Amino acid sequence: MNYEDLYKAAAGESCEMVKRSHGIALGFHSVADGLILTEERKFQKMLEDFRVNPSEPPQSISSVEDFLAGYLFTFSTGKALQLMIDKEDVKKWIEEHFGKGQLRLGGTSANMAVALASFGFSKVLVYVYPLVKELADLFPDLPNLRTVSNKGKIIHPRSGWNGEKLGAIHWIFEVKKGQKISLSGREIICPRDNRFIASWNPVNSKLDIASYFRKIYMGMVSQYPKFLLAGFHIMRDTYPDGDTVENRMREIVSFVREIKGKGATVHVEMASVRRERVRKAMIDLLFPEIDSLGLNEVELSWIAEDIGISSTGIMDGEEDKVLRALEVLRDKKGIKRIHFHTLGYYMLVREKANREALNLAVAALAAARRAETGKPPSCNEIKSAMIHPMSEFGIKASRIFKEDAFILPTRIVDRPKITVGLGDTISSIAFSLSDLHNDV
Ligand code: AMP
């Protein structure tokens, strides 16, 4: 395949493709993010004070040491990681030492909703709970972005808030390629721009589906027939009231079955679900019900171990290892469409996968443009991302050629302004365009 031609076509046709697409609904995770750029000296001093050295990151944050171990994992490997904060005193420690950071809209659902509405999709409905003023105010003023208010009205998120203060915050610690610290006489150089996320979210960690949203959306599935489901990384194994992740997952599965019965197509965006029991509940209970899955190399390597195959090579994006893991996952769980993304290429595993080549190229240009500017682009703007070179690593990976697996080498921005939200942009745009040529 001539990828340059494919990209040219994608740049030229993206707005037309967007016009032909359907309404998209998104749940169940919208939140405020506090953005913090890593200051090497301050970080190094904290690591020394708490005697933290590189290690496997913990499953969640119960101590300052856990927090710093997670942060150091991202800094030293350049890999994204998100961990939930379990203890309020650790949340207070982080707030005392870093403040709230620069507040931005976050949460996978809100991020993807803004990416899609900014891109030009005409009907985007996002679940926001609880819709408090501090969070509502972070939504951009886009008329095609709607939510359901607790009174059951379809409104822009800014016009239907109830209550003032944030009950949750997700700190995003951005690390930059080339940043250096020294630990026990050893120099650690950050290999790549990325971020570590420490999340405090006691109010939404059950991924409850508010009854008003459920009721209203059930009557509107035909207007928003694509559902992007995300936020599982904020779930807990068990809850203080005795509830469990398996119970919560069954609730979500009942929602998925109901909307699929009304004609919806459901995509799950994996995100960094560090807790094994939560991943297991997703894999066992949810995956058999869904149509589409989006994930990156870290997420796939964890799932590979969960389903009993080796994760070797997946973190490094070795395409044959990635392909095998995706095929096993597809075969075991019956997922029709899986979209894997890593730095350098995307791999789509589905029937007649190359029918989505153009959609993936649109998503790749949108991601490159967003990496360059730090802002979600419109479909008109993505042409300018053609200046960024295609990844050599991705071009090598694309030597695999199969009818049910398509690899697209992606364009790489050398010095990205920001990396947060890129995965969400890629998966949501590709999924939203995925039915233009076929039935997924
Ligand atoms: P995630 O970690 O799931 O948010 O996904 C991030 C994705 O963004 C990666 O898998 C890449 O495909 C893409 N990406 C990251 N950095 C860059 C960059 N500098 N230029 C272009 N795409 C990037």
Side-chain angles (χ1 to χ4, degrees):
M1 181 171 285
N2 183 326
Y3 298 115
E4 276 305 336
D5 285 352
L6 177 70
Y7 274 111
K8 268 187 217 143
E13 290 173 39
S14 59
C15 290
E16 198 44 49
M17 291 162 74
V18 165
K19 265 195 217 139
R20 289 185 0 244
S21 63
H22 297 108
I24 308 131
L26 306 99
F28 292 97
H29 173 44
S30 302
V31 77
D33 282 343
L35 191 72
I36 291 169
L37 299 178
T38 298
E39 292 169 43
E40 291 127 296
R41 266 203 229 134
K42 177 173 171 175
F43 180 46
Q44 178 174 320
K45 168 127 191 1
M46 284 176 174
L47 293 167
E48 283 163 359
D49 289 350
F50 286 87
R51 298 169 189 277
V52 176
N53 279 302
S55 61
E56 270 297 293
Q59 297 219 355
S60 62
I61 298 173
S62 308
S63 62
V64 174
E65 285 84 351
D66 286 344
F67 160 70
L68 292 170
Y71 197 163
L72 182 56
F73 170 82
T74 295
F75 188 93
S76 56
T77 62
K79 298 284 178 196
L81 177 71
Q82 174 156 13
L83 296 176
M84 299 304 293
I85 304 167
D86 290 335
K87 299 258 169 69
E88 191 160 9
D89 55 343
V90 184
K91 177 245 176 188
K92 285 189 177 143
W93 186 93
I94 298 174
E95 196 158 9
E96 262 165 40
H97 290 81
F98 293 95
K100 275 189 181 165
Q102 185 195 336
L103 283 187
R104 306 158 23 112
L105 185 63
T108 326
S109 305
N111 268 338
M112 294 194 296
V114 172
L116 296 173
S118 306
F119 203 65
F121 289 93
S122 61
K123 283 173 75 97
V124 179
L125 183 75
V126 61
Y127 176 81
V128 189
Y129 180 83
L131 184 58
V132 291
K133 183 168 190 319
E134 263 192 292
L135 176 56
D137 283 347
L138 299 174
F139 277 87
D141 206 2
L142 295 163
N144 46 347
L145 187 59
R146 317 294 277 171
T147 191
V148 181
S149 76
N150 64 358
K151 298 204 170 68
K153 297 261 179 303
I154 305 294
I155 48 153
H156 185 275
R158 279 200 206 161
S159 42
W161 53 267
N162 188 9
E164 301 274 334
K165 287 269 169 239
L166 292 177
I169 182 162
H170 290 204
W171 277 284
I172 315 257
F173 295 91
E174 284 265 345
V175 299
K176 292 267 161 213
K177 182 175 168 180
Q179 285 189 313
K180 281 185 203 150
I181 56 170
S182 137
L183 265 194
S184 321
R186 193 160 74 83
E187 188 171 72
I188 299 177
I189 303 178
C190 177
R192 160 182 164 192
D193 287 21
N194 220 321
R195 77 278 169 180
F196 166 60
I197 307 180
S199 304
W200 171 250
N201 202 337
V203 292
N204 211 8
S205 62
K206 282 191 175 183
L207 291 200
D208 266 328
I209 308 171
S211 55
Y212 60 83
F213 178 84
R214 193 170 181 139
K215 186 165 158 238
I216 297 293
Y217 179 61
M218 285 306 162
M220 304 183 78
V221 174
S222 61
Q223 290 183 55
Y224 297 92
K226 291 194 160 259
F227 200 98
L228 276 152
L229 191 52
F232 301 94
H233 54 291
I234 70 171
M235 295 185 91
R236 302 174 65 123
D237 297 352
T238 55
Y239 294 87
D241 63 1
D243 210 350
T244 63
V245 65
E246 292 79 14
N247 276 341
R248 304 310 315 149
M249 203 61 74
R250 282 187 202 99
E251 263 305 300
I252 293 165
V253 165
S254 96
F255 173 82
V256 167
R257 286 190 179 149
E258 201 176 337
I259 64 173
K260 284 190 67 173
K262 291 176 182 289
T265 308
V266 178
H267 172 93
V268 165
E269 190 57 21
M270 189 67 207
S272 184
V273 178
R274 186 69 185 131
R275 287 185 164 109
E276 240 174 86
R277 183 164 158 187
V278 176
R279 283 203 309 272
K280 188 164 167 16
M282 290 180 78
I283 294 169
D284 292 347
L285 303 173
L286 183 64
F287 282 8
E289 311 284 338
I290 63 175
D291 302 290
S292 172
L293 176 70
L295 77 180
N296 70 16
E297 71 282 6
V298 178
E299 295 148 18
L300 181 63
S301 74
W302 292 345
I303 291 180
E305 298 279 340
D306 294 338
I307 61 173
I309 57 174
S310 162
S311 61
T312 307
I314 295 177
M315 280 268 209
D316 297 322
E318 288 176 28
E319 65 283 358
D320 47 344
K321 308 290 187 333
V322 168
L323 176 63
R324 170 146 188 281
L326 295 178
E327 286 176 340
V328 173
L329 183 60
R330 173 198 61 195
D331 296 342
K332 283 197 170 181
K333 298 294 155 188
I335 307 172
K336 282 186 272 180
R337 175 183 187 275
I338 309 182
H339 178 184
F340 169 85
H341 58 87
T342 192
L343 188 67
Y345 71 89
Y346 306 155
M347 188 184 294
L348 184 77
V349 169
R350 62 162 299 167
E351 247 178 37
K352 300 191 179 143
N354 69 0
R355 279 198 293 183
E356 277 200 52
L358 202 59
N359 312 343
L360 296 183
V362 170
L365 289 173
R369 178 70 185 165
R370 183 170 182 150
E372 179 193 334
T373 64
K375 294 194 207 104
S378 73
C379 58
N380 289 312
E381 272 172 69
I382 63 171
K383 285 185 192 72
S384 55
M386 294 288 286
I387 56 166
H388 301 292
M390 245 185 289
S391 157
E392 288 299 326
F393 175 63
I395 291 171
K396 269 191 219 118
S398 71
R399 71 188 163 78
I400 290 189
F401 199 75
K402 289 187 84 178
E403 212 206 330
D404 55 6
F406 173 71
I407 296 178
L408 176 74
T410 55
R411 310 194 89 94
I412 300 288
V413 177
D414 187 29
R415 288 252 150 208
K417 217 177 212 153
I418 211 158
T419 59
V420 68
L422 290 182
D424 295 345
T425 300
I426 295 162
S427 294
S428 62
I429 292 180
F431 172 65
S432 300
L433 296 173
S434 64
D435 61 352
L436 291 186
H437 311 291
N438 43 55
D439 60 351
V440 169

